[in-house]
């Protein structure tokens, strides 16, 4: 009785592992090709000869006018993504706290407007938002990339639902102890929301890190480009140098994977909550 | 809930109010205004053209293709990603241990930038790539992946399905977990085959999770841009020309800001109506299975 059952289990795990390897093969292909000898890039499923030429080219600047443009773009990405994500988190916590835990006239109206805006197709806003940024002189600046993405209605929605589930008695008690609204928000409500904060942070950061269209419109000068935009621009011109392109892809993908894996456990806990 | 905190509530909500005025209300009005002008994004002057932009847009090949391409993407991408994520969820569900670890692994493609996945796929599909050498050598197949209309659409849909499979599988797994084991035991006693069990029991009971995944994936099809921009530019012959691609090309390559604004408004209306109808249909399907 135990024998066949065990066999079935081994088979199941094997199947799951093979499927997982197929799913992440594109990443494996990317990493291997970034280290492959240039004669073998895109020529074999698993390259057999390796060299560091692609990485030397990438980190040394290659044939570009700017020295080390990829490193520069990497830090632009980091700055823009971190700036946007922090602002999105802070604004979402504040607004959600008001919507869930403060009773004031007009709250329902704000709630409805947010819901309306959430289901509104955002595509209509692309051109005029670009014009707004241009008019206020933020074209080709970090703020131009950060500010239009400083607020996430999805995050507000998630936090509001979570905060509503926190019993008011906690807040009442803190109030009696003389805590201010700010203190309650940061010292009581937020520490109770760690796992959902992880989920929201990861989704927002991932989305911001891989944004193309908006950054592409706003960033124009070579030293303002984010890594994603630079990679996109070099797609054609560097077509003859696929090796360094794979190295640049690794540079873009690795940080986000590391961040995700660091928070993976908390992320799963949080997902359990959001899916209920 | 405490009362008499009017100013405090507005203070905490003020980031949203500011944001909504600058990045929603003003752009919205501006967009409506632009759509009745012939402005070219650069020149200081423009003139009003009434509804001419709309009339021209509805007749143009770009807009018509965007309308149909979106539904074609939906027809290919949604079944693909649903099938993939159900398979992944079923497999992970059958593992007694390390479930979480596998789910994390399957989630990793979600982290890929569209530019990166396009680059990898372009490499894998290049003429002398190992895949094409293999297909030519073994089956005599010579496929121009990005040059033929259906293959190009399929490739883009497959990239996006790859990206979202693990994320949706995560949602479906928690749906599976909420199905009571008693139902399966009762079914087993009644002698239900595994095939019947999946279609008649699992799938209808999975409805809430499936609804979420369907709505999310349908939403995705209305916002496809990066992969198309990177790989096909909307071609060949408009076969992968999505709304975002069309608006981007007209506004920022051809500098027809007024005309592109009209397209954007048409795109929003189409998106809103289509998603509304699909949502209602899904809810109807749910009601027939006893969900309210």
């Amino acid at each position: 009785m135990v024998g066949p059952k065990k066999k079935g289990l081994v088979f199941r795990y094997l199947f799951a592992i093979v499927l997982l390897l197929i799913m992440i093969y594109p990443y494996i292909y990317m990493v291997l090709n970034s280290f492959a000898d240039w004669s073998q890039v895109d020529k074999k499923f698993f390259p057999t000869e390796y060299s560091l030429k692609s990485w030397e080219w990438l980190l040394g600047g290659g044939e570009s006018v700017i020295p080390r443009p990829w490193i520069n773009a990497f830090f632009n990405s980091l700055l823009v993504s971190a700036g946007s994500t922090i602002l999105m988190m802070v604004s979402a916590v504040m607004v959600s706290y008001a919507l869930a835990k403060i009773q004031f006239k007009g709250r329902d109206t704000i709630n409805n407007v947010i819901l309306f805006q959430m289901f509104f197709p955002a595509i209509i806003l692309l051109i005029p938002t670009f014009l707004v940024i241009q008019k206020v002189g933020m074209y080709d600046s970090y703020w131009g990339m950060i500010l239009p993405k400083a607020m996430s209605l999805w995050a507000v929605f998630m936090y509001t639902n979570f905060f509503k589930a926190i019993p008011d008695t906690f807040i009442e008690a803190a109030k009696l102890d003389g805590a201010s609204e700010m203190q309650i928000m940061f010292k009581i409500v937020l520490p109770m929301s760690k796992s959902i904060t992880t989920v929201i942070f990861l989704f927002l950061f991932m989305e911001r890190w891989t944004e193309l269209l908006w950054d592409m419109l706003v960033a124009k000068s070579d030293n303002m480009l984010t890594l994603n935009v630079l990679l996109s621009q070099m797609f054609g011109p560097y077509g003859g140098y696929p090796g360094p392109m794979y190295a640049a892809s690794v540079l873009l993908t690795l940080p986000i994977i590391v961040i995700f894996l660091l928070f993976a456990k908390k992320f799963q806990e949080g997902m359990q909550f959001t899916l209920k | 809930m405490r009362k008499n905190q009017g100013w405090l509530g507005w203070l905490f909500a003020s980031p949203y109010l500011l944001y909504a005025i600058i990045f929603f209300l003003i752009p919205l009005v501006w967009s409506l205004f632009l759509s009745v002008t012939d402005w070219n994004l650069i020149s200081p002057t423009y003139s009003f053209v009434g509804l001419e932009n709309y009339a021209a847009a509805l007749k143009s090949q770009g807009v018509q293709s965007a309308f149909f391409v979106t539904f074609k993407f939906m027809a290919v991408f949604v079944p693909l990603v649903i099938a993939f994520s159900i398979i992944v969820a079923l497999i992970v569900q059958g593992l007694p241990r390390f479930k979480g670890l596998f789910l994390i692994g399957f989630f990793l493609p979600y982290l890929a930038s569209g530019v990166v996945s396009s680059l990898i796929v372009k490499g894998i599909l290049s003429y002398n790539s190992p895949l094409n050498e293999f297909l030519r050598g073994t089956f005599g197949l010579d496929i121009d992946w990005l040059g033929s209309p259906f293959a190009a659409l399929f490739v883009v849909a497959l990239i996006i399905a790859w990206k979202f499979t693990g994320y949706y599988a995560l949602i479906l797994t928690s749906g599976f977990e909420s199905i009571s084991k008693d139902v399966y035991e009762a079914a087993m006693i009644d002698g239900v085959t595994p095939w019947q069990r999946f279609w008649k029991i699992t799938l209808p009971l999975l409805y809430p999770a499936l609804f979420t995944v369907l709505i999310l994936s349908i939403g995705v099809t209305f916002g496809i841009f990066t992969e198309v921009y990177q790989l096909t530019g909307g071609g060949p012959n408009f076969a992968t020309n999505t709304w975002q691609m069309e608006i981007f090309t007209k506004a920022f390559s051809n500098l027809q800001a007024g005309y592109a604004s009209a397209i954007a408004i048409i795109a929003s209306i189409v998106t809103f109506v289509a998603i509304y109808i699909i949502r209602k249909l899904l809810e109807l399907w749910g009601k027939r299975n006893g969900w309210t």
Side-chain angles (χ1 to χ4, degrees), chain A residues 127 130-131 134, chain B residues 30 33-49 53 247-261:
Chain A
I127 300 166
F130 174 77
L131 297 175
Q134 213 178 26
Chain B
W30 204 336
F33 168 79
L34 279 175
S35 76
V36 293
T37 72
D38 64 353
W39 192 46
N40 67 3
L41 203 65
I42 296 166
S43 98
T45 59
Y46 56 83
S47 48
F48 287 99
V49 295
N53 284 334
I247 292 163
F248 172 80
T249 315
K250 289 294 175 314
F252 299 102
S253 302
N254 300 5
L255 302 182
Q256 298 168 287
Y259 177 64
S261 296

Side-chain angles (χ1 to χ4, degrees), chain B residues 120 179 236:
Chain B
I120 296 168
I179 298 175

Side-chain angles (χ1 to χ4, degrees), chain A residues 33-87:
Chain A
N33 272 299
S34 81
F35 287 107
D37 190 78
W38 281 20
S39 64
Q40 290 204 332
V41 176
D42 280 338
K43 297 288 188 297
K44 294 206 150 96
F45 284 114
F46 296 96
T48 47
E49 280 169 44
Y50 293 91
S51 86
L52 287 173
K53 201 173 162 194
S54 295
W55 283 97
E56 280 163 11
W57 166 287
L58 188 85
L59 302 177
E63 286 176 355
S64 164
V65 195
I66 303 177
R68 303 151 76 83
W70 299 94
I71 311 293
N72 179 49
F74 178 84
F75 284 108
N76 284 343
S77 273
L78 207 61
L79 182 73
V80 168
S81 305
S84 267
T85 310
I86 291 169
L87 285 175

Side-chain angles (χ1 to χ4, degrees), chain A residues 9 12-13 15-17 19-20 23-27 29-30 42-45 91 94-95 97-98 100-107 110 113-114 116-117 119-121 123-133 135 147-148 150-151 153 168 171-172 175 181-182 185 203 206 210 212-213 216-217 228 231-232 235 245-246 249 252-253 256-257 260-261 264 267-268 271-272 275, chain B residues 1-6 8-13 15-17 19-20 22-24 26-28 30-31 34 39 41 87-88 91 94-98 100 102-113 115-116 118-120 122-124 126 128-131 134 162 165 167 170-171 174 177 225-226 229-231 244 247-248 251-252 257 260-261 264-265 267-268 271-272 279:
Chain A
L9 212 58
R12 269 193 217 165
Y13 275 104
F15 193 63
I17 289 168
L19 198 71
L20 183 60
M23 279 296 277
I24 58 173
Y25 176 71
Y27 284 141
Y29 185 84
M30 164 182 86
D42 280 338
K43 297 288 188 297
K44 294 206 150 96
F45 284 114
S91 59
M94 279 181 73
V95 175
Y97 184 79
K101 288 289 172 232
I102 303 177
Q103 196 164 55
F104 61 100
K105 222 176 170 178
R107 188 179 69 172
I110 296 181
V113 173
I114 289 179
F116 172 75
Q117 197 185 336
F119 288 104
F120 197 90
I123 179 80
I124 199 174
L125 305 172
L126 181 70
I127 300 166
T129 305
F130 174 77
L131 297 175
V132 167
I133 288 301
K135 269 266 185 301
L147 283 183
M151 178 120 214
L153 298 182
D168 283 334
I171 293 162
E172 297 296 348
K175 267 254 122 132
E181 213 76 42
M182 275 287 177
M185 191 169 80
F203 271 105
M206 289 184 292
T210 55
L212 177 68
L213 181 53
M216 189 165 89
L217 293 179
N228 205 32
L231 190 64
S232 165
F235 209 90
M245 293 299 279
Y246 283 116
S249 302
L252 180 66
T253 315
I256 195 82
I257 289 190
F260 175 72
L261 290 179
F267 174 76
Q268 271 195 326
M271 281 303 274
Q272 292 306 324
L275 297 173
Chain B
M1 289 291 163
R2 285 139 301 125
K3 286 194 175 150
N4 301 325
Q5 295 189 319
L8 207 63
W10 285 95
L11 180 74
F12 273 63
Y16 170 69
L17 299 172
Y19 182 83
I22 300 171
F23 293 115
F24 185 59
I26 293 176
L28 193 62
W30 204 336
S31 175
L34 279 175
W39 192 46
L41 203 65
I87 291 170
V88 167
I91 287 170
L95 304 174
R97 291 186 65 191
F98 305 119
F102 275 98
L103 282 175
I104 295 284
F106 282 112
F107 191 85
L108 291 179
Y110 186 78
L111 307 172
S113 147
V115 182
V116 170
S118 300
L119 190 109
I120 296 168
K122 199 172 185 188
I124 291 180
S126 64
N128 288 318
S129 76
L131 179 73
F134 171 76
W162 171 74
T165 293
Y167 174 26
L170 200 63
I171 298 174
S174 77
E177 268 160 14
F225 174 75
T226 307
Y229 171 77
Q230 230 41 263
L231 287 175
Q244 298 223 23
I247 292 163
F248 172 80
F252 299 102
S261 296
I265 290 165
S268 327
T271 306
F272 188 84
R279 233 192 142 91

